[in-house]
Amino acid sequence: MATVDLDQYLTSVLKANKGNQSEIKLKAGNENFDLFTLYLENHNYGVHQYKMDVSTILFVISGQITIKSGQKIIELKVGNVLLLTENYQYEVMRQTRDAVLVKLKFQPGFRYKKFFRDLACKSEAEQKVIEGISDSLENEHVLWLKNNAMTRPTQVMHHIIDGYLGNELFIRALIGAELTIMLIVSIRNQKLVTPVSLDKTKFEKAALDEYIDNHFVDITLAKTARYFGFNPNYFSNMVKQKTGKSFVDHVDERRMREAKDLLAQPDISLKEIISRVGYSSKSFFYKKFNEYYHMTPAVMRDELFAQAKINLK
């Protein structure tokens, strides 16, 4: 399967999935394949928090993903690989709409430390590299391979995923060898990165707008503050100070824009619109709508239909 075809296939799996689970399991083409199991990170709403019970590799096929573990933030881009040990805890805080995050969850008993130790010969230089990797995995429980879309390890990862989904002979041995190649080439290219602590001095309105855009239906101040790494009260005051508007004002503004877009669609009822923009009370929605647009939703809908020359009578 070509790289473009693989991207499109995985994207189609995400779009077709309507479940509430945070991860989507991908079935191996060979039912006897026992090295790892593949999963896709779902795009549904809700908090996606994990504590790994097995060693895992995260690989970004497309888009961008933000992961938080404790006070450390990892901004993953296309081609990036994360090696996670058992007991590593993280939260997927943000995904772009085109993001495809693949997870390789190894069978219990797989250990990176032994794997890397077996790669090295007795040269001092190689031993030093392996010791550094082992220390990072033991102390931080994560190793970041910052490859990009054009590097060889990324191409190898695509082939590994394609092989898992297919059913060719000796695929387990081939994938095992390809994993070794991916890791060695990443190491030789010095693509190893240690995740950095969250910098609480940085805050950009664009980042807040993007987060609200992706979560306005079920957003809360507490969850948003946690995403940016702040205490809720401090975060609320900071948003007001830096933008001139409260957090609630930002959310209501985004919801009102969405409501207007939905009102222009004749096949969506007002009751459904209220739910889809994140309000539970009809009267409260009407109050907010009137404050923002200075008219009722019904009048707004009539105007939008007239502009679009839609006549339902």
Side-chain angles (χ1 to χ4, degrees):
M1 189 183 297
T3 297
V4 174
D5 293 337
L6 179 61
D7 292 359
Q8 292 176 345
Y9 169 72
L10 296 177
T11 299
S12 69
V13 171
L14 286 170
K15 289 182 177 179
N17 184 269
K18 304 299 182 183
N20 295 321
Q21 67 271 33
S22 298
E23 300 174 316
I24 304 168
K25 184 178 179 180
L26 297 177
K27 185 178 180 181
N30 186 328
E31 63 180 12
N32 296 315
F33 186 84
D34 62 353
L35 183 57
F36 56 76
T37 302
L38 275 187
Y39 291 82
L40 288 178
E41 182 70 20
N42 205 352
H43 278 237
N44 56 341
Y45 290 109
V47 179
H48 291 203
Q49 292 179 323
Y50 304 96
K51 181 177 181 180
M52 307 314 302
D53 54 358
V54 293
S55 298
T56 302
I57 288 179
L58 307 188
F59 173 60
V60 182
I61 293 276
S62 63
Q64 298 183 30
I65 296 96
T66 302
I67 286 176
K68 180 181 178 185
S69 178
Q71 286 297 307
K72 294 185 177 179
I73 291 292
I74 307 176
E75 298 283 356
L76 296 173
K77 298 181 180 180
V78 177
N80 283 193
V81 172
L82 277 187
L83 310 185
L84 310 178
T85 67
E86 295 178 20
N87 300 317
Y88 184 78
Q89 300 183 51
Y90 72 94
E91 176 184 348
V92 177
M93 298 197 307
R94 183 180 66 88
Q95 301 184 76
T96 56
R97 292 180 179 179
D98 62 336
V100 177
L101 177 63
V102 179
K103 306 179 182 184
L104 287 66
K105 295 190 177 183
F106 290 90
Q107 293 299 316
F110 178 86
R111 297 291 184 273
Y112 291 117
K113 190 170 184 178
K114 180 180 184 302
F115 179 83
F116 281 109
R117 185 176 64 244
D118 292 343
L119 294 182
C121 61
K122 299 302 181 180
S123 74
E124 184 176 343
E126 288 187 1
Q127 289 291 351
K128 186 175 181 180
V129 171
I130 296 303
E131 288 174 6
I133 291 172
S134 297
D135 288 343
S136 179
L137 288 170
E138 185 171 346
N139 297 323
E140 302 292 337
H141 304 290
V142 59
L143 187 68
W144 188 359
L145 309 180
K146 210 168 184 180
N147 303 307
N148 60 52
M150 304 304 295
T151 55
R152 185 183 177 194
T154 299
Q155 298 170 6
V156 174
M157 283 298 297
H158 277 269
H159 199 261
I160 288 171
I161 296 168
D162 191 34
Y164 172 90
L165 297 172
N167 188 24
E168 296 185 9
L169 295 175
F170 305 107
I171 194 62
R172 189 187 191 281
L174 179 59
I175 286 179
E178 289 177 326
L179 280 171
T180 302
I181 291 172
M182 185 277 293
L183 293 169
I184 290 177
V185 175
S186 298
I187 294 169
R188 289 178 63 182
N189 291 343
Q190 298 182 341
K191 295 295 184 180
L192 310 183
V193 180
T194 300
V196 296
S197 296
L198 177 64
D199 187 350
K200 293 188 177 182
T201 66
K202 295 181 179 179
F203 173 81
E204 298 179 357
K205 181 178 178 298
L208 175 62
D209 289 342
E210 184 175 2
Y211 182 86
I212 292 175
D213 189 55
N214 291 326
H215 301 87
F216 64 86
V217 175
D218 60 350
I219 197 169
T220 66
L221 174 63
K223 287 195 294 186
T224 310
R226 182 176 62 189
Y227 171 84
F228 286 99
F230 297 100
N231 171 275
N233 289 334
Y234 179 86
F235 178 73
S236 178
N237 293 332
M238 181 183 65
V239 169
K240 177 70 173 180
Q241 180 183 0
K242 289 183 176 291
T243 69
K245 294 190 295 186
S246 70
F247 171 77
V248 172
D249 287 340
H250 283 285
V251 174
D252 283 336
E253 181 178 316
R254 178 63 184 89
R255 287 174 168 175
M256 289 300 105
R257 295 202 311 271
E258 185 73 12
K260 182 178 179 181
D261 290 341
L262 294 174
L263 282 168
Q265 303 179 40
D267 58 335
I268 303 179
S269 68
L270 185 56
K271 181 179 180 181
E272 185 178 353
I273 290 173
I274 294 172
S275 175
R276 285 174 63 168
V277 298
Y279 292 107
S280 57
S281 167
K282 180 179 178 180
S283 60
F284 187 70
F285 169 76
Y286 268 73
K287 177 183 177 183
K288 287 291 183 179
F289 193 93
N290 189 61
E291 288 177 355
Y292 195 80
Y293 289 114
H294 306 293
M295 66 178 71
T296 66
V299 172
M300 170 69 80
R301 170 163 265 181
D302 288 342
E303 289 190 2
L304 293 170
F305 285 2
Q307 292 170 11
K309 298 182 180 180
I310 298 174
N311 187 359
L312 300 180
K313 297 179 181 180

